[in-house]
Amino acid sequence: MDSAVLLKGERCEPLLTAGSAGRLGAARTLGPARGQTRDAVAWVVVERGAGRLVAGDAVVEVAGRDEVFERPGWSALVGRSTEFAIEGDLAATTVWCAADRDVTTRMIDPEEVEEEERGDGPTRRRVRTYVPDGPLIVGETLNPPGGWSSWPPHRHEHEECYLYRFTPAHGFGVHVGFDDASGEPVDRPVLVRDGHIERITDGWHPVVAAPGATMYYLWALAGDTDSVDTRVDPRFE
């Protein structure tokens, strides 16, 4: 685990390391785990299972989501220099970013999560926003089979990451990164499968699910400002 966050558990899978490659870090845990932020702000979201989520002095009994495709899940926003724990039979993902400004540690009830339909036709998708502003901005998006997301193509001043899940699990999608700011097109398409994580530091970044599989991705943004400046590719606006 990187120096911004300590996270330990018998089944802890590092996904993304914060450091020279970028601001964001991420890990997935299965079963009990304990963590502590240092100079970072973190978000812990429960994918499935039953147990307890602890963040600072806040404690909540967690149940009710069997998979990320069903509904929003319980989560915790964790401020700097704060202990947190995942207890019981829970699968959870933790994302974090080193930040020079703090947040109030709190639990986020699934009933509080803003959930909306965006786009239409081939770009229709469902977006859940858990934390809309701050040093760490996070949420989840679900795409129907064959559907496009992050459309129209857009970019941010913030670094971003997408963590993908598919149902059925053998499904896949394509993460399309491209940039022509220098005058020469640079294309970076990536085939993404269940559990793949992609760090985004520049360029336009639409994504598409293959037919026959619903695509989910957890998204997180980190930047110098607490709100996102989204710029749309004017050719597709």
Side-chain angles (χ1 to χ4, degrees), residues 8-231:
K8 295 182 179 180
E10 288 188 6
R11 301 176 66 186
C12 180
E13 177 190 4
L15 300 171
L16 202 65
T17 300
S20 58
R23 296 180 179 219
L24 289 162
R28 186 170 189 247
T29 54
L30 298 175
R34 304 193 70 84
Q36 181 176 17
T37 57
R38 291 180 169 179
D39 60 348
V41 170
W43 179 59
V44 186
V45 61
V46 175
E47 294 184 3
R48 58 173 171 78
R52 292 204 315 168
L53 189 58
V54 182
D57 296 330
V59 181
V60 67
E61 297 290 334
V62 174
R65 182 158 88 156
D66 293 327
E67 58 178 355
V68 296
F69 301 94
E70 290 183 348
R71 60 179 68 85
W74 276 98
S75 67
L77 185 63
V78 187
R80 290 159 50 101
S81 302
T82 303
E83 294 184 351
F84 62 94
I86 302 153
E87 301 176 351
D89 184 21
L90 294 176
T93 297
T94 303
V95 295
W96 60 86
C97 70
D100 57 6
R101 53 207 188 279
D102 208 353
V103 299
T104 300
T105 297
R106 62 184 177 92
M107 294 296 173
I108 302 174
D109 189 316
E111 298 298 325
E112 300 174 5
V113 177
E114 179 184 352
E115 192 166 16
E116 58 181 321
E117 297 289 333
R118 294 185 187 175
D120 55 69
T123 66
R124 181 177 58 85
R125 69 269 193 193
R126 190 186 322 156
V127 180
R128 305 167 181 156
T129 302
Y130 289 75
V131 181
D133 50 53
L136 185 62
I137 299 169
V138 290
E140 300 173 318
T141 295
L142 290 95
N143 275 48
W148 284 87
S149 195
S150 292
W151 192 273
H154 64 271
R155 64 200 301 163
H156 316 287
E157 294 299 326
H158 287 55
E159 180 186 326
E160 192 168 6
C161 71
Y162 288 177
L163 171 61
Y164 289 94
R165 302 280 180 217
F166 291 89
T167 183
H170 63 261
F172 64 92
V174 179
H175 180 108
V176 185
F178 65 95
D179 200 355
D180 50 14
S182 64
E184 292 294 330
V186 178
D187 298 331
R188 298 185 295 270
V190 178
L191 183 70
V192 291
R193 298 186 183 275
D194 192 77
H196 182 99
I197 192 166
E198 190 71 17
R199 189 194 300 272
I200 306 164
T201 57
D202 59 15
W204 317 103
H205 45 273
V207 299
V208 61
T214 299
M215 180 175 73
Y216 156 101
Y217 60 94
L218 177 157
W219 45 268
L221 298 97
D224 294 329
T225 62
D226 288 353
S227 59
V228 179
D229 177 20
T230 300
R231 290 172 289 150

